[in-house]
Amino acid sequence: MHFVTASLALNIIAGAALPARKALYYDIPPPPSPEPIEVIELPLPPVAPSLETGACTLDINPRKTGCIQRELGDYEFQAGDFSPDGNHIIVNVKFVGAPKAPDPASIYDGEQLILVKADGTTFNNGDTWKCLSCAVPEGQQKLLDPQRDYPHVFRSGDKALWGHNVLDCNGHQLASDECTAQDTHIYPIYWAVIQDGVEKNGAPRELRLHPDDIHFGWSSFTNSGGQNTFFGRLQFNANPETGNILAPRYELVDVNLLYDPARSQRLTAKGKKIMIHDDAIGIGELRGFSGTGDEIIYIGPTWEANNIDVSAIHVVTGVVRRLTEHPEYTDPIAFSVDNKWFVAMDTRGSNRQMFMSGMRHIPPLIDLITVTVASSTRNNGNRRFFQPILIDGYGDRGDYFGQQVNAEGDGSAGAVNDPNWNGRADPAFSHDGTKIVYWQAIVTGRECGGLNPLPCPVPTTQGQREYRLMLARLTSRTPQPVPPVFDVPDQLPWATPFPPGSNFPKDSQRLVAGSYTLRGRISGHAIVKLTSSTSDQSRGYDTVAVNYTNYADVEGYILNGWEKVTSTILLPNPWDTLVDWYSDIEETGVVSATKRTSPDGFHLQIDAVANIFNATGTLTTTINGVQYKQPANGT
Ligand SMILES: *[C@@H]1O[C@H](CO)[C@@H](O)[C@H](O)[C@H]1NC(C)=O
Ligand SMILES: *[C@@H]1O[C@H](CO)[C@@H](O)[C@H](O)[C@H]1NC(C)=O
């Protein structure tokens, strides 16, 4: 799970909320009412008392089928999605404490891919889990890639994506007894790129499989702290002869760079006028696909100041729509297979981000330089403020902001809604649409106790495990059929073909330093100045100053006042940023709101990787008398 990147901060600009979209509302049904949801924790293998060889004793697991690590620590426990029957969840775990070989239990060692029962039953041996990758013969897992994140069951049910590998059970359903280690092959995924004239495996990250089981989407960091996103086709090569992965492999071919030079920027200039483009693409990080695969889901350019949202783009038409609107931060997301629902991990309800994003319908001009900090304040180190939110497929609209999946409970230690348990990536729907699975980690370490508002909790899970797997049943729903998958072409009409050796196109649409005017869609205008605070003009500008006069993009949200922000990247760490921020904006009409910094300004230093809030001065948003303040330093 990674987030909006420096490339977004530097390159991507944002827009506002939109009359064009309003017209769409005529076709959009009224939002659904809240529905009953029951949440339970699913069993995982037992926790080993230590990492010592043999610590997983017969007392702890009499069937000798493994014990897992208590801490998240050095690996990424990750739960994925359901098997087609909806009765199993695919999970990456780390087995520890196995006895030495030749003890048969010695195979339950290290990071492995397992299926967990989700229906209260067990596999034939009495376990609630089954290891898919343990004991696969060496000759059938040549050059296994160490990356094991984002586990995912293919729609066909007989294969799984396991990080940068495909686990293939030779036509058997993974959950069936016929699927054994002897039948299983694990193949690395290979993306041919050319570096220094030599073909080698590229560095994709966060791979997401299209529901057609053939196409893939992924993100990849650039060398300069940015990120690009891609779409390609998976093709098996039993006998590769090029590159540095010379074993049977799945290749990513027919690669598209998810970039349209005509639509790369939310804001462009026409002379001295800034134009807002609702149809800008600007994919910052790929999040996956809709349920039928007709859309790519991504974190892209913001639509309102400091409000990170998820958008969707149609794979063929290139039509873009905004899925979330709540001022809080959204990130991991998954659709139901019929596109009718999605579940998103979001900080909404925590009020974490409201101090900077709570005022609605400010065009995201300062986002030209504040996106990285706005996406970095969403969590406090490993205390995430994410909870799963169920939203219908049309997305947030009006005052509809979905329903928290795990809202019920008394909030006590270990309760379903215990705020010390925080959502992680990715959630998923069962194919019949009646169940959601998600996982959470408990806050540990620096991020609890002391100044932090919540004490250091002791996990109430089995063995005090620091993570838990949760199943939500949508009890009023009836099972729905799986609709046909969208027939996606290899070359997306709006994307850029990107065969091995391609160069990244140079973006000519980006705004340059200067003075501009932006007209409100409803009324008023904004004067915008992009300047450089240093004599070094190489970054173009590092300061955005905006004055609003009766500016409104949305009826009833009238802005007056100003903002001025300077952003400094604290090299050599390209993720570390200092912003010097001054705001004094008033909003009138539907709400009476202010967004104000203290007289000395608000000065925030934050590293987008560490996420430790460090500010002097204050930024406060007040909406109809309710004040939203920034978190205390270090929390
Ligand atoms: C905004 O207005 C103030 C005075 O009202 C002025 O000093 C400042 O230069 C203006 N900024 C912009 C970007 O127009
Ligand atoms: C907090 O930020 C300031 C710059 O505003 C910096 O001088 C200071 O070292 C930072 N403190 C921590 C603990 O990182």
PDB file of all heavy atoms in Angstrom, residues 167-187:
ATOM      1  N   LEU A 167       0.546 -18.408  -9.141  1.00  0.00           N
ATOM      2  CA  LEU A 167       0.475 -19.788  -8.651  1.00  0.00           C
ATOM      3  C   LEU A 167      -0.623 -20.474  -9.452  1.00  0.00           C
ATOM      4  O   LEU A 167      -1.746 -19.974  -9.528  1.00  0.00           O
ATOM      5  CB  LEU A 167       0.180 -19.798  -7.154  1.00  0.00           C
ATOM      6  CG  LEU A 167       0.073 -21.176  -6.495  1.00  0.00           C
ATOM      7  CD1 LEU A 167       0.708 -21.147  -5.108  1.00  0.00           C
ATOM      8  CD2 LEU A 167      -1.370 -21.661  -6.404  1.00  0.00           C
ATOM      9  N   ASP A 168      -0.286 -21.608 -10.043  1.00  0.00           N
ATOM     10  CA  ASP A 168      -1.168 -22.262 -11.001  1.00  0.00           C
ATOM     11  C   ASP A 168      -1.382 -23.709 -10.566  1.00  0.00           C
ATOM     12  O   ASP A 168      -0.422 -24.476 -10.446  1.00  0.00           O
ATOM     13  CB  ASP A 168      -0.483 -22.208 -12.382  1.00  0.00           C
ATOM     14  CG  ASP A 168      -1.332 -22.817 -13.480  1.00  0.00           C
ATOM     15  OD1 ASP A 168      -2.213 -23.651 -13.168  1.00  0.00           O
ATOM     16  OD2 ASP A 168      -1.097 -22.475 -14.650  1.00  0.00           O
ATOM     17  N   CYS A 169      -2.663 -24.084 -10.335  1.00  0.00           N
ATOM     18  CA  CYS A 169      -2.919 -25.449  -9.850  1.00  0.00           C
ATOM     19  C   CYS A 169      -3.399 -26.388 -10.946  1.00  0.00           C
ATOM     20  O   CYS A 169      -4.199 -27.301 -10.685  1.00  0.00           O
ATOM     21  CB  CYS A 169      -3.873 -25.450  -8.659  1.00  0.00           C
ATOM     22  SG  CYS A 169      -3.544 -26.883  -7.608  1.00  0.00           S
ATOM     23  N   ASN A 170      -2.906 -26.168 -12.143  1.00  0.00           N
ATOM     24  CA  ASN A 170      -3.085 -27.141 -13.220  1.00  0.00           C
ATOM     25  C   ASN A 170      -4.552 -27.491 -13.451  1.00  0.00           C
ATOM     26  O   ASN A 170      -4.909 -28.659 -13.631  1.00  0.00           O
ATOM     27  CB  ASN A 170      -2.283 -28.412 -12.863  1.00  0.00           C
ATOM     28  CG  ASN A 170      -2.024 -29.273 -14.082  1.00  0.00           C
ATOM     29  OD1 ASN A 170      -2.066 -28.781 -15.204  1.00  0.00           O
ATOM     30  ND2 ASN A 170      -1.790 -30.553 -13.861  1.00  0.00           N
ATOM     31  N   GLY A 171      -5.401 -26.460 -13.439  1.00  0.00           N
ATOM     32  CA  GLY A 171      -6.818 -26.678 -13.758  1.00  0.00           C
ATOM     33  C   GLY A 171      -7.686 -27.039 -12.566  1.00  0.00           C
ATOM     34  O   GLY A 171      -8.919 -27.069 -12.680  1.00  0.00           O
ATOM     35  N   HIS A 172      -7.077 -27.312 -11.402  1.00  0.00           N
ATOM     36  CA  HIS A 172      -7.894 -27.632 -10.216  1.00  0.00           C
ATOM     37  C   HIS A 172      -8.263 -26.360  -9.472  1.00  0.00           C
ATOM     38  O   HIS A 172      -7.451 -25.431  -9.362  1.00  0.00           O
ATOM     39  CB  HIS A 172      -7.119 -28.530  -9.253  1.00  0.00           C
ATOM     40  CG  HIS A 172      -6.650 -29.815  -9.868  1.00  0.00           C
ATOM     41  ND1 HIS A 172      -7.521 -30.721 -10.419  1.00  0.00           N
ATOM     42  CD2 HIS A 172      -5.407 -30.343 -10.010  1.00  0.00           C
ATOM     43  CE1 HIS A 172      -6.826 -31.747 -10.890  1.00  0.00           C
ATOM     44  NE2 HIS A 172      -5.535 -31.543 -10.662  1.00  0.00           N
ATOM     45  N   GLN A 173      -9.487 -26.314  -8.937  1.00  0.00           N
ATOM     46  CA  GLN A 173      -9.856 -25.209  -8.061  1.00  0.00           C
ATOM     47  C   GLN A 173      -8.910 -25.195  -6.864  1.00  0.00           C
ATOM     48  O   GLN A 173      -8.643 -26.233  -6.243  1.00  0.00           O
ATOM     49  CB  GLN A 173     -11.310 -25.381  -7.571  1.00  0.00           C
ATOM     50  CG  GLN A 173     -12.337 -25.183  -8.676  1.00  0.00           C
ATOM     51  CD  GLN A 173     -12.350 -23.746  -9.180  1.00  0.00           C
ATOM     52  OE1 GLN A 173     -12.614 -22.816  -8.424  1.00  0.00           O
ATOM     53  NE2 GLN A 173     -12.061 -23.556 -10.468  1.00  0.00           N
ATOM     54  N   LEU A 174      -8.390 -24.016  -6.542  1.00  0.00           N
ATOM     55  CA  LEU A 174      -7.406 -23.917  -5.457  1.00  0.00           C
ATOM     56  C   LEU A 174      -7.950 -24.492  -4.155  1.00  0.00           C
ATOM     57  O   LEU A 174      -7.213 -25.082  -3.372  1.00  0.00           O
ATOM     58  CB  LEU A 174      -7.007 -22.453  -5.250  1.00  0.00           C
ATOM     59  CG  LEU A 174      -6.354 -21.745  -6.436  1.00  0.00           C
ATOM     60  CD1 LEU A 174      -6.067 -20.285  -6.096  1.00  0.00           C
ATOM     61  CD2 LEU A 174      -5.072 -22.447  -6.876  1.00  0.00           C
ATOM     62  N   ALA A 175      -9.262 -24.309  -3.950  1.00  0.00           N
ATOM     63  CA  ALA A 175      -9.841 -24.740  -2.674  1.00  0.00           C
ATOM     64  C   ALA A 175     -10.097 -26.242  -2.623  1.00  0.00           C
ATOM     65  O   ALA A 175     -10.351 -26.789  -1.554  1.00  0.00           O
ATOM     66  CB  ALA A 175     -11.146 -23.986  -2.429  1.00  0.00           C
ATOM     67  N   SER A 176     -10.052 -26.924  -3.785  1.00  0.00           N
ATOM     68  CA  SER A 176     -10.443 -28.336  -3.801  1.00  0.00           C
ATOM     69  C   SER A 176      -9.310 -29.226  -3.305  1.00  0.00           C
ATOM     70  O   SER A 176      -8.130 -28.853  -3.350  1.00  0.00           O
ATOM     71  CB  SER A 176     -10.827 -28.744  -5.230  1.00  0.00           C
ATOM     72  OG  SER A 176      -9.649 -28.842  -6.016  1.00  0.00           O
ATOM     73  N   ASP A 177      -9.680 -30.415  -2.847  1.00  0.00           N
ATOM     74  CA  ASP A 177      -8.662 -31.364  -2.386  1.00  0.00           C
ATOM     75  C   ASP A 177      -7.753 -31.812  -3.531  1.00  0.00           C
ATOM     76  O   ASP A 177      -6.629 -32.247  -3.309  1.00  0.00           O
ATOM     77  CB  ASP A 177      -9.328 -32.600  -1.753  1.00  0.00           C
ATOM     78  CG  ASP A 177      -9.927 -32.261  -0.396  1.00  0.00           C
ATOM     79  OD1 ASP A 177      -9.468 -31.268   0.218  1.00  0.00           O
ATOM     80  OD2 ASP A 177     -10.860 -32.972   0.036  1.00  0.00           O
ATOM     81  N   GLU A 178      -8.268 -31.701  -4.773  1.00  0.00           N
ATOM     82  CA  GLU A 178      -7.436 -32.102  -5.928  1.00  0.00           C
ATOM     83  C   GLU A 178      -6.248 -31.173  -6.117  1.00  0.00           C
ATOM     84  O   GLU A 178      -5.273 -31.544  -6.780  1.00  0.00           O
ATOM     85  CB  GLU A 178      -8.257 -32.090  -7.225  1.00  0.00           C
ATOM     86  CG  GLU A 178      -9.249 -33.231  -7.382  1.00  0.00           C
ATOM     87  CD  GLU A 178     -10.524 -32.973  -6.624  1.00  0.00           C
ATOM     88  OE1 GLU A 178     -11.190 -31.968  -6.935  1.00  0.00           O
ATOM     89  OE2 GLU A 178     -10.846 -33.752  -5.707  1.00  0.00           O
ATOM     90  N   CYS A 179      -6.346 -29.972  -5.613  1.00  0.00           N
ATOM     91  CA  CYS A 179      -5.232 -29.030  -5.784  1.00  0.00           C
ATOM     92  C   CYS A 179      -4.186 -29.306  -4.710  1.00  0.00           C
ATOM     93  O   CYS A 179      -4.365 -28.948  -3.542  1.00  0.00           O
ATOM     94  CB  CYS A 179      -5.729 -27.585  -5.699  1.00  0.00           C
ATOM     95  SG  CYS A 179      -4.373 -26.394  -5.746  1.00  0.00           S
ATOM     96  N   THR A 180      -3.118 -29.993  -5.116  1.00  0.00           N
ATOM     97  CA  THR A 180      -2.052 -30.346  -4.181  1.00  0.00           C
ATOM     98  C   THR A 180      -0.755 -29.663  -4.623  1.00  0.00           C
ATOM     99  O   THR A 180      -0.660 -29.145  -5.736  1.00  0.00           O
ATOM    100  CB  THR A 180      -1.802 -31.872  -4.179  1.00  0.00           C
ATOM    101  OG1 THR A 180      -1.303 -32.227  -5.490  1.00  0.00           O
ATOM    102  CG2 THR A 180      -3.075 -32.652  -3.887  1.00  0.00           C
ATOM    103  N   ALA A 181       0.225 -29.703  -3.715  1.00  0.00           N
ATOM    104  CA  ALA A 181       1.529 -29.108  -4.035  1.00  0.00           C
ATOM    105  C   ALA A 181       2.123 -29.764  -5.278  1.00  0.00           C
ATOM    106  O   ALA A 181       2.772 -29.096  -6.090  1.00  0.00           O
ATOM    107  CB  ALA A 181       2.469 -29.256  -2.848  1.00  0.00           C
ATOM    108  N   GLN A 182       1.892 -31.066  -5.468  1.00  0.00           N
ATOM    109  CA  GLN A 182       2.445 -31.783  -6.619  1.00  0.00           C
ATOM    110  C   GLN A 182       1.873 -31.258  -7.939  1.00  0.00           C
ATOM    111  O   GLN A 182       2.521 -31.331  -8.980  1.00  0.00           O
ATOM    112  CB  GLN A 182       2.168 -33.290  -6.506  1.00  0.00           C
ATOM    113  CG  GLN A 182       2.882 -33.973  -5.359  1.00  0.00           C
ATOM    114  CD  GLN A 182       4.386 -33.704  -5.343  1.00  0.00           C
ATOM    115  OE1 GLN A 182       5.054 -33.767  -6.366  1.00  0.00           O
ATOM    116  NE2 GLN A 182       4.922 -33.362  -4.162  1.00  0.00           N
ATOM    117  N   ASP A 183       0.628 -30.728  -7.867  1.00  0.00           N
ATOM    118  CA  ASP A 183      -0.022 -30.195  -9.071  1.00  0.00           C
ATOM    119  C   ASP A 183       0.287 -28.733  -9.311  1.00  0.00           C
ATOM    120  O   ASP A 183      -0.176 -28.155 -10.296  1.00  0.00           O
ATOM    121  CB  ASP A 183      -1.543 -30.330  -8.936  1.00  0.00           C
ATOM    122  CG  ASP A 183      -2.001 -31.737  -9.216  1.00  0.00           C
ATOM    123  OD1 ASP A 183      -1.635 -32.261 -10.274  1.00  0.00           O
ATOM    124  OD2 ASP A 183      -2.712 -32.319  -8.362  1.00  0.00           O
ATOM    125  N   THR A 184       0.992 -28.118  -8.384  1.00  0.00           N
ATOM    126  CA  THR A 184       1.115 -26.658  -8.394  1.00  0.00           C
ATOM    127  C   THR A 184       2.430 -26.204  -8.997  1.00  0.00           C
ATOM    128  O   THR A 184       3.484 -26.798  -8.726  1.00  0.00           O
ATOM    129  CB  THR A 184       0.979 -26.120  -6.949  1.00  0.00           C
ATOM    130  OG1 THR A 184      -0.294 -26.532  -6.440  1.00  0.00           O
ATOM    131  CG2 THR A 184       1.099 -24.610  -6.896  1.00  0.00           C
ATOM    132  N   HIS A 185       2.349 -25.175  -9.830  1.00  0.00           N
ATOM    133  CA  HIS A 185       3.533 -24.478 -10.333  1.00  0.00           C
ATOM    134  C   HIS A 185       3.449 -23.028  -9.886  1.00  0.00           C
ATOM    135  O   HIS A 185       2.352 -22.464  -9.811  1.00  0.00           O
ATOM    136  CB  HIS A 185       3.595 -24.509 -11.867  1.00  0.00           C
ATOM    137  CG  HIS A 185       3.971 -25.845 -12.419  1.00  0.00           C
ATOM    138  ND1 HIS A 185       3.066 -26.875 -12.506  1.00  0.00           N
ATOM    139  CD2 HIS A 185       5.146 -26.323 -12.914  1.00  0.00           C
ATOM    140  CE1 HIS A 185       3.671 -27.940 -13.038  1.00  0.00           C
ATOM    141  NE2 HIS A 185       4.944 -27.633 -13.289  1.00  0.00           N
ATOM    142  N   ILE A 186       4.596 -22.429  -9.606  1.00  0.00           N
ATOM    143  CA  ILE A 186       4.620 -20.986  -9.317  1.00  0.00           C
ATOM    144  C   ILE A 186       5.587 -20.342 -10.302  1.00  0.00           C
ATOM    145  O   ILE A 186       6.758 -20.723 -10.374  1.00  0.00           O
ATOM    146  CB  ILE A 186       5.060 -20.703  -7.866  1.00  0.00           C
ATOM    147  CG1 ILE A 186       4.205 -21.510  -6.870  1.00  0.00           C
ATOM    148  CG2 ILE A 186       4.948 -19.205  -7.570  1.00  0.00           C
ATOM    149  CD1 ILE A 186       4.675 -21.433  -5.430  1.00  0.00           C
ATOM    150  N   TYR A 187       5.039 -19.412 -11.081  1.00  0.00           N
ATOM    151  CA  TYR A 187       5.827 -18.778 -12.145  1.00  0.00           C
ATOM    152  C   TYR A 187       6.059 -17.304 -11.823  1.00  0.00           C
ATOM    153  O   TYR A 187       5.119 -16.601 -11.433  1.00  0.00           O
ATOM    154  CB  TYR A 187       5.068 -18.854 -13.473  1.00  0.00           C
ATOM    155  CG  TYR A 187       4.714 -20.261 -13.903  1.00  0.00           C
ATOM    156  CD1 TYR A 187       3.401 -20.707 -13.856  1.00  0.00           C
ATOM    157  CD2 TYR A 187       5.704 -21.134 -14.361  1.00  0.00           C
ATOM    158  CE1 TYR A 187       3.064 -21.994 -14.260  1.00  0.00           C
ATOM    159  CE2 TYR A 187       5.375 -22.426 -14.766  1.00  0.00           C
ATOM    160  CZ  TYR A 187       4.056 -22.851 -14.709  1.00  0.00           C
ATOM    161  OH  TYR A 187       3.719 -24.113 -15.114  1.00  0.00           O
TER     162      TYR A 187
END
